[in-house]
């Protein structure tokens, strides 16, 4: 058998998206802060400490964390720290592609956008291309079992590790040994859970109770349709009304001006419109498939939010900084909620699959 040296982490999608979200948030926060404070400079006497240096330090800290520490907490911290550092670093790209060190070089936004999209696409390709090997399933099961050594294994992580082992090579002696270890592992005690553990249990229990109800589906549809309508109206306002005085907006000739301005929109304005429509397309796909597959619908909603964060938000921040930052925070909250729901559905699907296989096995033996 060909030896596989590089093993993919099944959490690559989560960690890469966390990295990119942290990077985009860092860029938008820096731009807002500099705008509100009048673009101050750190240094003096001919010196200027550019924030690209702080970005480099944060990326170095991320590398040290990932090389020195073990566990999922270290991976998450490394993704956050590295993302913030990369965002702080790439924010000054305009200075390094212009002869006059122009921080406000307009195409720098497009450069950052292309870099983020390429990173995201590369991560997706690495995550999905070619399928996973039995060795990768085995190594990722071992990765899940790190929580056993930390006395932090919960039932969901146990079920996920067992699902990975089911797809590993059965002849490998490690598979049977790990299954036995998982069966004998002490799950997280709930007698004295910490505040975070109690919150996790509470949210999971609440989700399991409400997800079968009709009103939950209707509320979810209403929320994302409402968000889509608001998003389209927001982009329309940014393009056609920002910069106008109140009396100009209330003028009855405003509709004629809007129609005339359509032919004068810049490529950047059209990009904002198409990004919003793309986000809306994923929302509609999610709404259409919600009753048939919640997991697929959640993934469509997640893609809609990712388009908003990585594409539409850049356009919005270019037009209106403060409201764009609030929109970014709102999108991040929605993204975290969707990730939570996706993980619940994946775990439920894995458990259901194991039950079906066990039933078939028992029937066959009978």
């Amino acid at each position: 058998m060909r030896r596989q040296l590089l093993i993919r982490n099944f959490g690559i999608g989560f960690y890469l998206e966390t990295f990119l979200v942290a990077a985009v948030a860092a860029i938008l926060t820096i731009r807002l802060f500099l705008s509100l404070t009048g673009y101050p400079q750190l240094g003096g006497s001919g010196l200027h400490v550019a924030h690209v240096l702080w970005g480099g330090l944060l990326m170095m800290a991320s590398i040290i964390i990932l090389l020195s520490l073990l566990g999922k907490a270290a991976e998450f911290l490394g993704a956050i720290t590295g993302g913030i550092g990369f965002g702080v670093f790439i924010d000054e790209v305009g200075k390094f592609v212009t002869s006059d060190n122009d921080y406000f070089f307009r195409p720098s936004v497009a450069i950052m956008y292309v870099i983020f999209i390429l990173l995201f696409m590369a991560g997706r390709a690495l995550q999905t291309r070619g399928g996973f090997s039995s060795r990768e399933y085995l190594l990722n099961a071992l990765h899940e079992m790190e929580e056993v050594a930390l006395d932090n294994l919960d039932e969901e992580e146990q079920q996920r590790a067992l699902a990975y082992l089911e797809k590993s090579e059965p002849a490998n002696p490690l598979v049977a040994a790990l299954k036995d270890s998982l069966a004998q592992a002490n799950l997280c005690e709930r007698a004295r859970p910490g505040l975070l553990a109690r919150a996790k249990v509470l949210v999971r229990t609440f989700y399991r109770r409400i997800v079968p109800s009709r009103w939950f589906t209707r509320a979810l549809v209403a929320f994302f349709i409402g968000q889509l309508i608001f998003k389209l109206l927001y982009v329309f306002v940014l393009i056609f009304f920002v910069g106008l005085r109140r009396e100009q907006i209330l003028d009855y000739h405003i509709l004629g001006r809007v129609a005339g301005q359509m032919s004068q929109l810049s490529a950047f304005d059209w990009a904002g419109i198409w990004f919003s429509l793309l986000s809306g397309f994923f929302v509609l796909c999610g709404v259409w498939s919600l009753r048939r597959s919640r997991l697929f619908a959640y993934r469509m909603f997640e893609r809609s939010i990712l388009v908003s964060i990585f594409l539409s938000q850049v356009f919005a921040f270019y037009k209106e900084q403060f409201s764009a930052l609030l929109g970014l925070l709102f999108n991040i909250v929605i993204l975290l909620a969707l990730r939570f729901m996706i993980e619940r559905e994946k775990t439920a699907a894995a458990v259901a699959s194991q039950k079906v296989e066990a039933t078939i096995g028992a029937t066959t033996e009978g």
Side-chain angles (χ1 to χ4, degrees), residues 21-22 24-26 28-29 32 223 227 305 308-309 313 317 321-337:
V21 168
V24 172
L28 299 183
T29 303
L32 177 63
F223 174 81
Q227 187 210 29
I305 296 300
S308 295
I309 291 175
Q313 210 64 45
F317 191 83
Q321 296 177 359
F322 182 71
S323 61
L325 185 58
L326 294 178
L328 172 68
L329 295 176
F330 182 65
N331 282 326
I332 289 176
V333 170
I334 298 175
L335 180 63
L336 293 175

Side-chain angles (χ1 to χ4, degrees), residues 12 17 22 39 50 80 123 151 193 209 290 304 310 318:
I12 181 176
E17 288 172 11
Y39 297 90
I80 289 286
D151 294 324
R209 287 179 179 176
L290 188 58
S304 172
F310 295 131
Y318 180 84

Side-chain angles (χ1 to χ4, degrees), residues 196-270:
L196 182 59
R198 288 201 303 270
K200 286 172 62 177
V201 172
L202 184 63
V203 171
R204 289 176 184 174
T205 304
F206 178 71
Y207 177 77
R208 282 197 296 267
R209 287 179 179 176
I210 66 172
V211 72
S213 61
R214 288 184 178 181
W215 70 262
F216 174 77
T217 302
R218 292 172 181 172
L220 203 62
V221 170
F223 174 81
F224 279 100
I225 290 295
Q227 187 210 29
L228 171 59
I229 294 173
F230 177 81
K231 189 181 300 180
L232 294 175
L233 288 175
Y234 178 66
V235 171
F236 183 80
V237 169
L238 285 182
I239 292 176
F240 296 106
F241 294 104
V242 167
L244 295 180
R245 297 189 301 274
R246 184 172 179 271
E247 58 271 17
Q248 291 176 306
I249 295 175
L250 297 177
D251 186 0
Y252 68 93
H253 292 298
I254 188 65
L255 293 179
R257 293 178 182 175
V258 169
Q261 194 174 342
M262 286 290 293
S263 60
Q264 301 176 4
L265 293 181
S266 65
F268 197 72
D269 290 330
W270 278 113

Side-chain angles (χ1 to χ4, degrees), residues 135-362:
R135 190 180 298 272
E136 285 176 315
Y137 278 111
L138 179 59
L139 265 292
N140 277 274
L142 279 170
H143 187 45
E144 291 289 341
M145 291 191 65
E146 290 177 357
E147 302 298 308
V148 177
L150 296 172
D151 294 324
N152 194 35
L153 184 75
D154 59 26
E155 184 179 356
E156 180 182 349
E157 291 166 335
Q158 181 191 49
Q159 294 298 328
R160 188 160 54 235
L162 287 171
Y164 292 161
L165 290 173
E166 290 295 331
K167 297 182 179 181
S168 303
E169 181 61 46
N172 193 317
L174 264 179
V175 174
L178 291 177
K179 285 183 178 180
D180 291 338
S181 297
L182 280 171
Q184 299 173 16
N186 294 322
L187 301 181
C188 290
E189 294 184 4
R190 296 185 180 181
R192 296 180 180 178
L195 181 61
L196 182 59
R198 288 201 303 270
K200 286 172 62 177
V201 172
L202 184 63
V203 171
R204 289 176 184 174
T205 304
F206 178 71
Y207 177 77
R208 282 197 296 267
R209 287 179 179 176
I210 66 172
V211 72
S213 61
R214 288 184 178 181
W215 70 262
F216 174 77
T217 302
R218 292 172 181 172
L220 203 62
V221 170
F223 174 81
F224 279 100
I225 290 295
Q227 187 210 29
L228 171 59
I229 294 173
F230 177 81
K231 189 181 300 180
L232 294 175
L233 288 175
Y234 178 66
V235 171
F236 183 80
V237 169
L238 285 182
I239 292 176
F240 296 106
F241 294 104
V242 167
L244 295 180
R245 297 189 301 274
R246 184 172 179 271
E247 58 271 17
Q248 291 176 306
I249 295 175
L250 297 177
D251 186 0
Y252 68 93
H253 292 298
I254 188 65
L255 293 179
R257 293 178 182 175
V258 169
Q261 194 174 342
M262 286 290 293
S263 60
Q264 301 176 4
L265 293 181
S266 65
F268 197 72
D269 290 330
W270 278 113
I273 293 174
W274 284 112
F275 293 155
S276 299
L277 293 175
L278 178 61
S279 177
F281 170 76
F282 286 126
V283 168
L284 295 178
C285 288
V287 169
W288 180 262
S289 58
L290 188 58
R291 294 186 181 277
R292 288 174 290 179
S293 172
R294 282 198 300 268
L295 180 58
F296 180 79
Y298 292 166
R299 290 192 183 279
M300 292 297 102
F301 293 147
E302 182 189 32
R303 290 183 182 180
S304 172
I305 296 300
L306 290 172
V307 168
S308 295
I309 291 175
F310 295 131
L311 302 179
S312 303
Q313 210 64 45
V314 176
F315 162 80
F317 191 83
Y318 180 84
K319 289 286 187 177
E320 185 67 24
Q321 296 177 359
F322 182 71
S323 61
L325 185 58
L326 294 178
L328 172 68
L329 295 176
F330 182 65
N331 282 326
I332 289 176
V333 170
I334 298 175
L335 180 63
L336 293 175
L338 284 170
R339 282 180 171 176
F340 167 81
M341 293 190 291
I342 287 172
E343 288 302 316
R344 301 289 78 72
E345 294 301 321
K346 287 169 64 177
T347 301
V351 172
S353 177
Q354 288 180 6
K355 289 181 178 179
V356 170
E357 291 178 1
T359 303
I360 294 174

Side-chain angles (χ1 to χ4, degrees), residues 76 78 81 183 361:
F76 181 72
T81 306

